[in-house]
Amino acid sequence: MHTEEACFVPSSSTRRRSLVLTPLALAAGLVLTTFGTAAQAQAPRNHATLAMVAEPQTLDPMASTADLVGTIMQHVYEPLYTFDAQWKVVPMLAEAAPKITPDGKRYSITLRKGVMLHSGRELNAEDVVASLQRWMEQAPRGKALAKEVESIQAKGALGIEIVLKQPYAPLLAQLALPSGMAAIMAKESIATPLKDFVGTGPYRFKERRPDQFVLLTRFDKYSPRKEAASGYGGKREALIEELRFTPVPNANTRVEGALAGQYDFADLLPVEALTRLEKSGGKTVPILTPSFGFPYLVLNTKEGVAANQAVRQALQVAIGQGEMLAAGFGDTRFFIAEGNHFPKGSPFYATAGTDQYNQRNAKKAKEMAEKAGYKGEPVRVLTSRQYDFHYNMALLMAEQLKRAGFKVDMNVVDWATLVQRRNDAKLWDVYVTHSGQFPEPMLSPPQLGDGAPGWWSSPAKQAALAAFNTETDPAKRGALWAKVQQVVYDEVPYINVGKFNGLSAKSPALQNYQPATWPFFWNTSIK
């Protein structure tokens, strides 16, 4: 997760001040860095080598909510709408904001003219309709949105009309998120599984060699927007000819590669590497980023020991999130332990249910588990070492659970295997993950939608979310979010561990890199 200006290495005092301000920036709902303007055109080096945390499980942006898939494939595919530097929804493939009828149910969207697909023909409304229908059939957030949609149809070559069953406030934000993306693709390329990756982005898919790289190459017929670059919005230019996304699962290998100048960008580094990166003598530039991210634990509400809500509540009481964050991040500059899912100052700040946060009460948890009928079955914890902080938090959590009388079975796998296994309810009880923090609650975690791993569904969830999502008045939605947060604490489909800042690094040669939740490399160049 990446949100701080990376064009210089601030002194430690400057950096501390910036992180002290993090909660205020979060409270304002703004990204601390300005994403900046488009890069100045200059003669590019042939390629950039980008060290990522793992091998992507898939390159189908609809088939996975994994950040890694969204990070890579947002260069190939584009959505109708996206987010600017202030997390406002702005048009991307759409020409402008939609025209919405007074009842809030009918959205008329016009596409930009002359947008070229990688196959060489012009994008049209039929591509968009086919893409959105596939998204609503396959992606967790798409499936949730499908329940709100009456119809989607083409209106001429460049017009799309979306008719909703009732007003649905998060619609445009759902269409804008890069993760589990509502990606627009050539209708003739649509298949399951996807074999041809034909989008409209500034880069086109060239080659994938498993465990070696995913190679994207500049699309010379790309149709950029006219507005100045801002966040994911505005003008995009492919100034680097080739982007080579290289899986480097070992975090320390990513650090050593960054220090050796092997990588132009190294994502999600262990926090203890900060001092070494700072003392690299300019070989690499550390990016200490207030990332608006939150680690969380997903519980299996469908099968196994955690399917019993009373057992989930006992697990929640046993856990001490503050200790877990300290184990995951060490340095207090990297985390904040608080039970409110959204920060103070946000329209969605709420204290509902937070008396259940950070209890770390082994005795009470043991009593609750016995009362719930827990008989010593193993709690299967699924985690990965690809994200160091996931693994370290999982180890600490396992000790907390053992103190409360739970038997814990740790399953440590690579990230691609975890992403695969979490789809099978028979294989796990708890898994560790994280997400970015966004201005629209329905964007994350995917467990708020339907069909995401964990398979949370209950009358209380449906009622709280129905009230929240049909209310289009921002002033009223805050109080309705408090009711959703209370249901999360009561039913424990997932446990929010806290908020964290991330560490990554870039080479001094990578120019105009603008930190973002999902790193992007259009508008960057190599000196």
Side-chain angles (χ1 to χ4, degrees), residues 101 147 164 188 365 392:
T101 52
K147 296 182 177 179
L164 303 175
E188 63 274 12
N392 292 333

Side-chain angles (χ1 to χ4, degrees), residues 244-326:
R244 189 179 295 252
F245 291 91
T246 305
V248 185
N250 185 295
N252 290 320
T253 307
R254 292 198 298 280
V255 173
E256 296 304 329
L259 288 167
Q262 192 179 343
Y263 309 130
D264 294 298
F265 180 82
D267 203 16
L268 287 169
L269 304 178
V271 296
E272 59 271 18
L274 177 59
T275 305
R276 289 187 67 206
L277 293 168
E278 287 175 324
K279 293 177 178 174
S280 74
K283 287 178 189 162
T284 190
V285 182
I287 310 162
L288 184 58
T289 61
S291 57
F292 310 89
F294 59 100
Y296 64 105
L297 313 171
V298 180
L299 288 88
N300 185 345
T301 69
K302 189 178 183 179
E303 291 191 44
V305 66
N308 180 334
Q309 182 176 313
V311 170
R312 295 199 302 275
Q313 289 169 336
L315 291 166
Q316 180 168 253
V317 168
I319 284 170
Q321 285 97 323
E323 268 190 351
M324 287 175 64
L325 288 163

Side-chain angles (χ1 to χ4, degrees), residues 21 70 89 169 201 294 312 327 389 496:
L21 290 172
V89 174
F294 59 100
R312 295 199 302 275
F389 64 98
N496 191 323

